[in-house]
Amino acid sequence: MKFIVHGSTLARSLNSIMGLISKNNTIPIVENLLFELNDKTLSITASDLETVANVSIELQDADSIGISKVCVPAKEFYSLASQLTSRPLTMFVNEDYSVDIATDNGGKYNFKGIDPEDYPKMIEIEDKNEFTIQSSTLVNGINKTLFATSNDEFRPQMAGVLCEFSPKGLTFVGTDSHKLVRFRNTMYATDDVKSFILPKKTLNMIAKILSSINEDFEVRVENNMSNIAFYFENYHFACRLIDGKYPQYDSAIPMDNPNKLIVDKNSLLESVKRISIFTNPTTNQIRFEVTDREIVIQAEDVDAQNKAQERISCSYEGEQMTIGLNAKYLTEIINNVETENICFEMSRPDRPCIVLPYDEETKDEQKQETLLMLLMPVILMS
């Protein structure tokens, strides 16, 4: 096969799927990219065995006669393409699967390609359910929950994002047992309850691509009990779902929280960042003392003999309370809020606190999208 593609188009397409490439000594072929030419459509595939990603490029000048498929070393090929983004590239695949690349300024490059026969096939979705979702909803659901997922390989269910359809709407949930995030869109309510757990690597790649497209559009999704596939623009992602049962997240959310704190998001974030410098690096513990008009934020590292304290004005309804929080987790949660103010709903210092975006103008309105975050307290050390 022979074709001409602009370097910038090629590099951009490769960049979107390179996140799947890693060293795999047991099955080295997945360290390669699969190139396939069908008429004037170039298809490029990457796989890590659990996920397969495909991006297609429409070409003006192509000839698929002869070898129509080849595997090339992914990292080396991507490194070259990233350096040739300003000019068109002519690529030719020889009968021995070697790949010749030429540029219009006399550059010549050659890769040793390999037979693609053993390359992982695109995951087929049998007995499938189909639905569509707006790209903006999918991006919000992913971005709002992904940071809260666990990195514990012994609890794989919590290392993914729960996607649940129910009469309440479409719900995305991420948790690592220290923090929990629930994002819900009521527009996708269904009579039946259906749920599956999506792997974070695939979601992270999809969210980055969707975020780079400056328009809202429908994403087609197919799934069964084991696998899921996403189709949008010129992309096709398919992956295995995480097996197992997700924790009963609703039971972890306290319903009775009479103490309500409203504070300016940026003021709180800046203060927590400064105070966190003085926390014990093992516990990251900060102390919140809340009264009706202010929060006193404190931290102390006894070993280093460092300590700090700041005061922030706030609006608070409830009993005076002192609660310990993890500064790192709190910072992540505050960064996930887009409103100017943030609301904390609490019951006791030893119970989880609810964190919500707060907008005075829309607080009583029925919202299509809602965000609820939960943060577990830490035991205050005297």
Side-chain angles (χ1 to χ4, degrees):
M1 64 178 173
K2 178 182 179 182
F3 59 88
I4 298 175
V5 61
H6 199 278
S8 60
T9 301
L10 181 61
R12 184 170 60 251
S13 299
L14 294 176
N15 181 64
S16 64
I17 61 174
M18 282 296 293
L20 290 181
I21 304 298
S22 60
K23 281 286 184 182
N24 192 314
N25 295 323
T26 57
I27 307 181
I29 197 167
V30 296
E31 297 173 18
N32 292 264
L33 293 165
L34 171 64
F35 279 68
E36 181 176 1
L37 186 62
N38 184 6
D39 195 13
K40 290 190 177 181
T41 300
L42 175 66
S43 174
I44 309 173
T45 303
S47 174
D48 65 357
L49 301 181
E50 295 297 318
T51 300
V52 182
N54 176 272
V55 57
S56 60
I57 304 172
E58 296 300 322
L59 305 172
Q60 296 295 321
D61 190 349
D63 185 348
S64 56
I65 294 175
I67 299 294
S68 61
K69 296 181 183 180
V70 66
C71 284
V72 297
K75 292 187 176 180
E76 293 84 352
F77 192 93
Y78 174 62
S79 295
L80 176 65
S82 299
Q83 300 297 318
L84 297 172
T85 57
S86 62
R87 58 188 73 254
L89 310 178
T90 300
M91 296 182 58
F92 184 82
V93 180
N94 302 291
E95 291 297 323
D96 62 354
Y97 294 104
S98 62
V99 180
D100 295 321
I101 304 172
T103 63
D104 57 0
N105 66 341
K108 293 183 179 180
Y109 315 91
N110 178 270
F111 285 101
K112 181 184 177 182
I114 59 176
D115 188 333
E117 181 180 357
D118 295 328
Y119 198 82
K121 302 294 189 293
M122 177 59 75
I123 298 172
E124 297 291 334
I125 312 294
E126 299 178 351
D127 300 323
K128 60 191 176 185
N129 300 310
E130 292 190 38
F131 62 92
T132 59
I133 180 174
Q134 288 300 122
S135 60
S136 58
T137 301
L138 184 55
V139 169
N140 285 340
I142 295 172
N143 288 342
K144 292 298 182 186
T145 57
L146 204 60
F147 80 94
T149 56
S150 172
N151 293 316
D152 188 349
E153 61 183 18
F154 297 106
R155 295 186 293 179
Q157 294 87 358
M158 296 172 66
V161 170
L162 175 69
C163 181
E164 180 181 70
F165 289 90
S166 75
K168 296 178 181 179
L170 172 58
T171 303
F172 294 85
V173 181
T175 183
D176 61 1
S177 76
H178 300 290
K179 55 186 180 291
L180 181 148
V181 180
R182 185 191 73 193
F183 173 86
R184 178 172 289 158
N185 188 307
T186 59
M187 188 176 73
Y188 296 90
T190 59
D191 294 333
D192 300 325
V193 177
K194 304 173 185 176
S195 65
F196 40 84
I197 308 172
L198 299 161
K200 66 169 66 179
K201 180 191 284 188
T202 305
L203 292 181
N204 194 35
M205 293 176 62
I206 290 174
K208 286 183 178 178
I209 297 171
L210 293 177
S211 299
S212 68
I213 303 172
N214 296 321
E215 58 180 288
D216 195 12
F217 53 89
E218 286 190 342
V219 177
R220 182 166 63 91
V221 185
E222 299 176 352
N223 78 286
N224 56 22
M225 296 295 292
S226 304
N227 305 301
I228 192 166
F230 299 85
Y231 299 84
F232 57 92
E233 300 285 298
N234 56 327
Y235 290 93
H236 175 192
F237 281 82
C239 69
R240 304 189 194 283
L241 295 170
I242 296 176
D243 190 27
K245 188 174 181 179
Y246 201 78
Q248 292 292 325
Y249 66 90
D250 275 335
S251 62
I253 302 173
M255 303 304 295
D256 185 18
N257 304 287
N259 305 301
K260 291 182 171 55
L261 163 69
I262 298 171
V263 62
D264 180 82
K265 170 200 164 181
N266 290 331
S267 297
L268 178 61
L269 180 61
E270 292 167 2
S271 182
V272 170
K273 284 182 176 180
R274 290 190 293 268
I275 294 294
S276 65
I277 297 171
F278 297 85
T279 60
N280 181 293
T282 302
T283 65
N284 291 306
Q285 175 187 288
I286 58 176
R287 179 189 297 259
F288 263 43
E289 294 183 7
V290 187
T291 63
D292 60 346
R293 293 186 177 180
E294 69 175 9
I295 313 169
V296 179
I297 308 176
Q298 299 171 305
E300 182 175 7
D301 185 352
V302 176
D303 295 334
Q305 299 183 17
N306 298 328
K307 59 183 177 180
Q309 174 179 299
E310 289 193 18
R311 297 174 183 270
I312 306 175
S313 61
C314 69
S315 173
Y316 182 63
E317 296 179 3
E319 298 180 358
Q320 184 171 332
M321 182 182 297
T322 300
I323 186 171
L325 298 172
N326 182 297
K328 178 174 178 275
Y329 300 149
L330 178 59
T331 300
E332 290 176 331
I333 280 181
I334 298 173
N335 276 324
N336 209 32
V337 174
E338 297 178 355
T339 53
E340 291 185 7
N341 294 312
I342 188 168
C343 176
F344 291 77
E345 296 184 354
M346 301 169 286
S347 57
R348 303 197 312 261
D350 61 344
R351 295 284 293 156
C353 63
I354 302 297
V355 185
L356 305 164
Y358 183 84
D359 189 337
E360 180 69 30
E361 295 181 357
T362 62
K363 65 176 182 177
D364 297 324
E365 295 180 8
Q366 189 70 24
K367 299 177 183 177
Q368 180 176 299
E369 292 187 346
T370 60
L371 178 68
L372 180 147
M373 295 174 285
L374 179 149
L375 183 60
M376 297 296 294
V378 296
I379 299 174
L380 287 169
M381 305 298 291
S382 59

